[in-house]
């Protein structure tokens, strides 16, 4: 063999080296392809490892171009110990090759060779023993030109995960490609997903090199290997080409990194749904829904749930209030589970659904109607149902005819997020501060005015006008989003808050003068309305955490509790300093007994908080201002964190849960 290489190398320098090399190529290939001839113990470790045909020291290098040959498998999922057909073919149909070597390797480190090729009945395929295992690599026994080779490979019984068939294919002596990969094949537990060899199309005797005229076998979802990253998840094969794919977070189909993803393939009247949960998010179920409004409720869903070591499929009909997915209302035979697997916590299933299903008198006709796709998954189950979709949920932005393959993006939650953000800014932020100004700062900054009004009043009015505007805007936004009234705790208490808030400034506009007899009624009513609205507003925000649409984390409750604690503490401190300052004031009044005012007059002035207090700040003004400053900063922090939770919802997608 060394001699041959030296001859070739020498010939290379000559003018007619190519012709000579061609003549030699058969001989050289035979050396490589017949390891038993040159090396009685089988191919050396180096060939098993490098898959390079020649010990040429680099004189003939593999081609850098995309291989014109591809390695295709009859299935992308196979049970342990079961058989898959592996085909090596030219991509322009009929392109022939002389030599090849194929082995299946674990797609993940340590990338060991796995499985076993079955011996060919007609002897056209030679099997090799690499890494001390029997028949785990295949090469061919004659170097004659062939358009394709069919191999049969048995998956190992002690392996779960993805394997890739890796091939070296030589078109001629000087032109060969190394590391030509197949699409990954998932090996799953046998009881969960076993894919038989395809029955469609001619079933050639395996292991045989066929005559040039035979059409190559092309799997239904064939994607040229060069178009698929070697590390790609096979779920995404054919997305946007032969199937509609949709998942969350939005845009994840393009990056092949979905937390949950669904795909629909339509072949005539066959509606096939695939769903898959993400790696590492411990889903208890993954579901795909058909919805005509992109909102939760009245959707036909298909759920895949691992139960007792196997994946089971259910159909449900959802309702939004109360949030539920009910199995009893859907005929469970309207869909059939074709395949399923659970590997490393990743749920996968493939389901065929009837084109027409009637649920509670409502017809889901997949041929005639358009639907939003809805993907959801959660980490818990309920009795005879699935738990809340805490891992995530996303409806597609538009309704589609399922048979029409297109790019789908998620529906925007912008209006809900603006509603939540505005309400938080208003009821956690401006209202809290505005109330503090009105209650504790009437005797601070006395004499200094802003726009002809006392400081406290100017601030109170500015903050409350902001609350009012944000609240009305947020209410309009949620109406635009929902286009109808909904009745649950959040919406009912929220509506009362909105009405109270709406009325407050109208009442204030018509308030009686400061010395009017009816003034105390206004003061009392305005105080009650304002504080009631504030309390109800915060309660409403507590209820928003439970809304499916808001997609908020449950621990947001703790941030709200922290806010309430801080707010109550601040009230307490202001009240205590207020009482202290009052005592101080009455002492001062006593020392001025001999002053220009009669004691009676002084007491009267104090009780009314009028003339005297208007002239100068009450004591501890600096402390009040300091506390106000600190509270202002703390409020801004609360508002920013809560708004981020609302705007980035579901926040889990940013916290590494996906
Ligand atoms: C004081 C604060 C809040 C008030 C007064 C309020 C008020 C309301 C009202 C009145 C509705 C019902 C609208 C209708 O019937 O058409 C509603 C719905 C809604 N609100 Fe709020 N809201 C507040 C805070 C929030 C927050 C912080 C969020 C968080 C994102 C939020 C999310 C929602 C959602 C998702 C809905 C629709 C519920 C559904 O789909 O059934 N709200 N809100
Ligand atoms: C390995 O392949 C050879 C033929 O190449 C066959 O005779 C032998 O039985 C196979 N061994 C196993 C364990 O399948
Ligand atoms: C295929 O084998 C070659 C040579 O051993 C190696 O460099 C390459 O990484 C392998 N590719 C895959 C997908 O396993
Ligand atoms: C476990 C399971 O449902 N396996 C199925 C996989 O799909 C083929 C058809 O494509 C069925 O025949 C298997 O029963």
């Amino acid at each position: 063999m060394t001699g041959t290489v030296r001859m070739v190398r020498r010939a290379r320098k000559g003018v007619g080296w190519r012709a000579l090399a061609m003549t030699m190529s058969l001989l050289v290939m035979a050396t490589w392809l017949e390891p038993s001839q040159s090396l009685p113990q089988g191919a050396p470790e180096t060939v098993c490892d490098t898959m390079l045909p020649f010990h040429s020291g680099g004189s003939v290098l593999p081609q850098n171009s995309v291989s014109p040959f591809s390695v295709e498998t009859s299935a992308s999922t196979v049970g342990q110990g079961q058989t898959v057909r592996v085909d090596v073919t030219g991509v322009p149909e009929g392109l022939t090759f002389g030599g090849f070597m194929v082995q299946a390797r674990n797609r993940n480190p340590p990338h060991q060779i796995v499985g076993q090729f079955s011996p060919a009945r007609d002897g056209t395929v030679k099997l090799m023993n690499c890494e001390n295992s029997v028949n785990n690599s295949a090469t061919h026994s004659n170097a004659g030109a062939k358009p394709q080779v069919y191999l049969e490979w048995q998956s190992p019984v002690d392996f779960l995960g993805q394997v890739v068939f890796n091939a070296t294919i030589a078109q001629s002596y000087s032109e060969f490609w190394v590391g030509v990969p197949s699409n990954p094949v998932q090996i799953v537990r046998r009881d969960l997903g076993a894919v038989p060899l395809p029955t469609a199309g001619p079933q050639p005797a395996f292991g045989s090199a066929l005559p040039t005229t035979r059409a190559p076998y092309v799997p239904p979802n064939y994607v040229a290997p060069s178009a698929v990253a070697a590390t790609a998840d096979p779920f995404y094969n054919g997305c946007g080409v032969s199937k509609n794919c949709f998942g969350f977070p939005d845009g994840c189909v393009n990056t092949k990194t979905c937390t949950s993803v669904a795909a629909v393939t339509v072949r005539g009247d066959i509606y096939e749904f695939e769903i898959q949960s993400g790696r590492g998010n411990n889903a208890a179920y993954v579901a795909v829904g058909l919805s005509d409004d992109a909102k939760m409720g009245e959707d036909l869903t298909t759920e895949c749930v691992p139960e007792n070591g196997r994946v089971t499929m259910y159909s449900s009909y959802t309702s939004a209030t109360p949030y539920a997915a009910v199995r009893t209302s859907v005929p469970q035979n309207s869909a059939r589970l074709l395949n399923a697997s659970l590997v490393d916590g990743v749920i996968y299933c493939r389901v065929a659904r009837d084109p027409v299903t009637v649920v509670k008198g409502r017809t889901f006709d997949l041929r005639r109607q358009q639907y939003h796709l809805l993907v959801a998954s959660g980490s818990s189950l309920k009795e005879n149902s699935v738990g809340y979709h805490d891992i995530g949920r996303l409806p597609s932005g538009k309704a589609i005819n399922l048979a029409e393959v297109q790019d789908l993006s998620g529906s925007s939650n912008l209006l809900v997020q603006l509603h939540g953000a505005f309400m938080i800014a208003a009821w956690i932020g401006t209202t809290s501060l505005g109330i503090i100004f009105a209650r504790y700062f009437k005797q601070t900054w006395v004499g200094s005015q802003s726009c002809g009004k006392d400081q406290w009043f100017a601030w109170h009015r500015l903050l409350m006008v902001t609350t009012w505007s944000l609240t009305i805007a947020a209410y309009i936004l949620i109406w635009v989003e929902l286009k109808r009234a909904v009745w649950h705790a959040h919406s009912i208490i929220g509506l009362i808050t909105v009405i109270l808030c709406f009325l407050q400034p109208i009442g204030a506009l018509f308030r009686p003068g400061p010395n009017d007899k009816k003034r105390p009624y206004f003061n009392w009513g305005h105080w009650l309305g304002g504080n009631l609205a504030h309390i109800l507003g915060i309660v409403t925000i507590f209820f928003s955490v439970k809304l499916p649409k808001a997609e908020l984390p449950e621990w947001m409750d703790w941030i709200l509790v922290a806010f309430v604690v801080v707010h109550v503490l601040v009230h307490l401190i202001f009240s205590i300093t207020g009482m202290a300052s009052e005592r101080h004031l009455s002492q001062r009044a006593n020392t001025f007994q001999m002053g220009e005012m009669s004691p009676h007059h002084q007491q009267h002035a104090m009780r009314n908080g009028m003339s005297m207090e208007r002239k100068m700040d009450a004591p501890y003004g600096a402390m009040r201002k300091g506390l106000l400053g600190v509270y202002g900063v703390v409020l801004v922090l609360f508002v920013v964190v809560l708004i981020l939770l609302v705007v980035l919802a579901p926040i889990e997608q940013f916290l590494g849960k996906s």
Side-chain angles (χ1 to χ4, degrees):
M1 187 146 118
T2 331
T4 322
V5 171
R6 216 179 292 127
M7 270 172 68
V8 170
R9 219 183 267 155
R10 213 178 297 131
R12 222 177 161 161
K13 293 185 182 121
V15 183
W17 73 269
R18 190 178 273 273
L20 185 60
M22 290 292 271
T23 328
M24 300 307 295
S25 65
L26 267 179
L27 183 60
V28 176
M29 272 190 180
T31 318
W32 169 54
L33 298 166
E34 299 269 21
S36 53
Q37 257 182 354
S38 53
L39 298 152
Q41 255 62 55
E45 286 286 315
T46 47
V47 171
C48 286
D49 223 301
T50 62
M51 296 184 76
L52 282 169
F54 314 111
H55 305 175
S56 57
S59 66
V60 183
L61 291 172
Q63 300 290 313
N64 288 323
S65 56
V66 171
S67 161
F69 301 96
S70 76
V71 181
E72 293 153 14
T73 57
S74 60
S76 57
T77 306
V78 64
Q80 289 172 323
Q82 294 196 303
T83 305
V84 160
R85 209 174 80 207
V86 184
D87 304 343
V88 180
T89 58
V91 171
E93 186 180 319
L95 187 70
T96 62
F97 57 94
F100 71 91
M101 178 174 168
V102 184
Q103 48 188 221
R105 284 184 179 269
N106 182 354
R107 216 183 104 181
N108 296 311
H111 302 293
Q112 77 276 23
I113 306 176
V114 292
Q116 212 178 69
F117 287 93
S118 311
R121 265 169 256 140
D122 57 4
T124 51
V125 174
K126 195 106 212 158
L127 300 182
M128 297 161 66
N129 308 333
C130 289
E131 295 178 357
N132 299 323
S133 290
V134 181
N135 296 354
N136 60 5
S137 300
T139 184
H140 71 282
S141 55
N142 77 71
K146 48 184 91 49
Q148 60 212 127
V149 161
Y150 296 102
L151 301 159
E152 206 168 78
W153 177 84
Q154 203 182 16
S155 69
V157 291
D158 55 357
F159 180 89
L160 281 178
Q162 291 187 330
V163 301
V164 172
F165 289 89
N166 192 350
T168 293
I169 301 159
Q171 192 171 11
S172 66
Y173 165 71
S174 54
E175 281 182 292
F176 60 91
W177 288 262
V178 174
V180 180
S182 69
N183 287 333
V185 174
Q186 183 91 41
I187 299 175
V188 300
R189 265 184 262 283
R190 187 167 185 167
D191 56 315
L192 292 179
V195 185
L197 289 170
T199 46
Q203 185 82 41
F206 77 89
S208 55
L210 292 170
T212 329
T213 48
R214 196 85 174 243
Y217 164 76
V218 178
N221 288 349
Y222 174 72
V223 177
S226 56
V228 180
T231 55
D233 181 338
F235 187 97
Y236 299 96
N237 294 350
C239 283
V241 179
S242 58
K243 60 188 189 187
N244 271 314
C245 298
F246 181 67
F248 64 80
D250 201 12
C252 67
V253 170
N254 289 334
T255 54
K256 305 184 180 181
T257 53
C258 293
T259 300
S260 298
V261 59
V264 193
T265 312
V266 181
R267 289 188 297 272
D269 263 357
I270 300 172
Y271 287 80
E272 223 174 73
F273 292 80
E274 289 172 276
I275 26 183
Q276 183 173 281
S277 68
R279 200 163 280 280
N281 55 35
N282 288 325
Y285 71 88
V286 56
V288 59
L290 296 171
S291 170
D292 50 18
D293 58 0
K295 300 201 194 325
M296 179 79 198
E298 286 151 18
D299 312 322
L300 175 61
T301 65
T302 309
E303 306 135 26
C304 286
V305 187
E307 282 176 343
N308 311 323
R310 54 186 301 123
V311 177
T312 318
M313 184 269 305
Y314 299 99
S315 302
S316 294
Y317 192 58
T318 61
S319 68
T321 47
Y323 164 74
V326 181
R327 289 174 187 162
T328 46
S329 36
V330 187
Q332 291 298 317
N333 63 0
S334 61
R336 290 154 304 282
L337 184 63
L338 299 178
N339 277 112
S341 69
L342 175 64
V343 180
D344 298 338
V346 174
I347 308 169
Y348 167 83
C349 73
R350 196 159 62 89
V351 174
R353 179 165 277 296
D354 290 345
V356 178
T357 307
V358 179
V359 185
K360 288 186 156 180
R362 181 166 161 218
T363 305
F364 283 87
D365 186 341
L366 312 193
R367 285 175 296 212
R368 295 202 172 74
Q369 287 156 9
Q370 304 204 324
Y371 294 97
H372 293 261
L373 283 179
L374 210 149
V375 177
S377 72
S379 59
S380 66
L381 299 175
K382 292 183 195 156
E383 200 178 332
N384 294 322
S385 183
V386 293
Y388 180 59
H389 46 72
D390 55 345
I391 292 173
R393 181 209 60 135
L394 188 70
S396 63
K398 57 179 173 182
I400 58 158
N401 172 355
L402 298 179
E404 229 169 82
V405 177
Q406 54 198 282
D407 271 339
L408 287 174
S409 59
S411 101
S412 159
N413 242 351
L414 184 67
L415 296 181
V416 168
Q417 287 166 347
L418 283 178
H419 165 84
F422 282 15
M423 287 297 196
I424 283 169
W427 295 94
I428 304 274
T430 54
T431 310
S432 306
L433 209 56
I435 287 178
I436 297 281
F437 267 104
R439 190 172 308 168
Y440 304 108
F441 285 81
K442 287 203 179 101
Q443 281 123 54
T444 311
W445 295 298
V446 172
S448 129
Q449 296 210 325
S450 184
C451 307
K453 298 286 177 191
D454 288 352
Q455 283 287 356
W456 76 266
F457 182 72
W459 279 106
H460 174 74
R461 196 179 50 181
L462 175 71
L463 290 165
M464 291 317 192
V465 164
T466 310
T467 293
W468 191 88
S469 317
L470 285 171
T471 303
I472 302 304
Y475 184 65
I476 293 171
L477 287 173
I478 201 69
W479 256 102
V480 170
E481 168 73 23
L482 300 176
K483 297 185 188 73
R484 65 196 158 115
V486 292
W487 302 111
H488 43 63
H490 177 85
S491 67
I492 294 166
I493 304 173
L495 188 59
I496 299 172
T497 310
V498 171
I499 292 171
L500 284 173
C501 168
F502 185 77
L503 295 177
Q504 277 297 90
I506 296 176
L509 221 55
F510 297 108
R511 69 185 177 278
N515 299 315
D516 197 300
K517 262 192 262 128
K518 291 192 208 110
R519 178 67 180 220
Y521 296 107
F522 163 78
N523 285 352
W524 190 81
H526 192 72
W527 176 88
L528 185 70
N531 283 291
L532 197 61
H534 192 208
I535 290 167
L536 292 180
I538 290 164
V539 170
T540 310
I541 293 174
F542 267 101
F543 278 110
S544 73
V545 177
K546 312 273 174 312
L547 293 172
K549 237 188 218 117
E551 300 187 284
L552 296 169
E554 274 185 24
W555 44 266
M556 179 165 147
D557 278 342
W558 294 110
I559 299 179
L560 292 171
V561 166
F563 159 74
V564 171
V565 169
V566 168
H567 187 67
V568 168
L569 270 179
V570 165
H571 267 287
L572 268 178
I573 298 172
F574 273 125
S575 299
I576 291 167
T577 51
M579 282 186 313
S581 113
E582 217 159 279
R583 204 175 311 126
H584 201 114
L585 214 59
S586 61
Q587 278 165 10
R588 190 156 71 188
N590 287 338
T591 57
F592 282 107
Q593 258 186 24
M594 305 304 288
E596 66 273 34
M597 276 191 250
S598 70
H600 171 80
H601 192 177
Q602 272 180 14
Q603 269 168 19
H604 178 81
M606 268 181 54
R607 215 177 297 123
N608 282 349
M610 289 274 152
S611 48
M612 183 176 167
E613 288 156 18
R614 285 214 165 265
K615 284 194 204 99
M616 59 191 295
D617 276 18
Y620 306 124
M623 178 174 169
R624 275 198 304 277
K625 288 174 199 166
L627 185 57
L628 180 72
V630 171
Y631 187 47
V633 171
V634 171
L635 270 186
V636 167
L637 286 179
F638 270 114
V639 168
V640 166
V641 168
L642 291 170
I643 287 183
L644 281 180
L645 285 182
V646 166
V647 171
L648 302 180
I651 195 81
E652 284 83 0
Q653 65 186 310
F654 297 97
L655 301 180
K657 218 183 160 190
S658 54

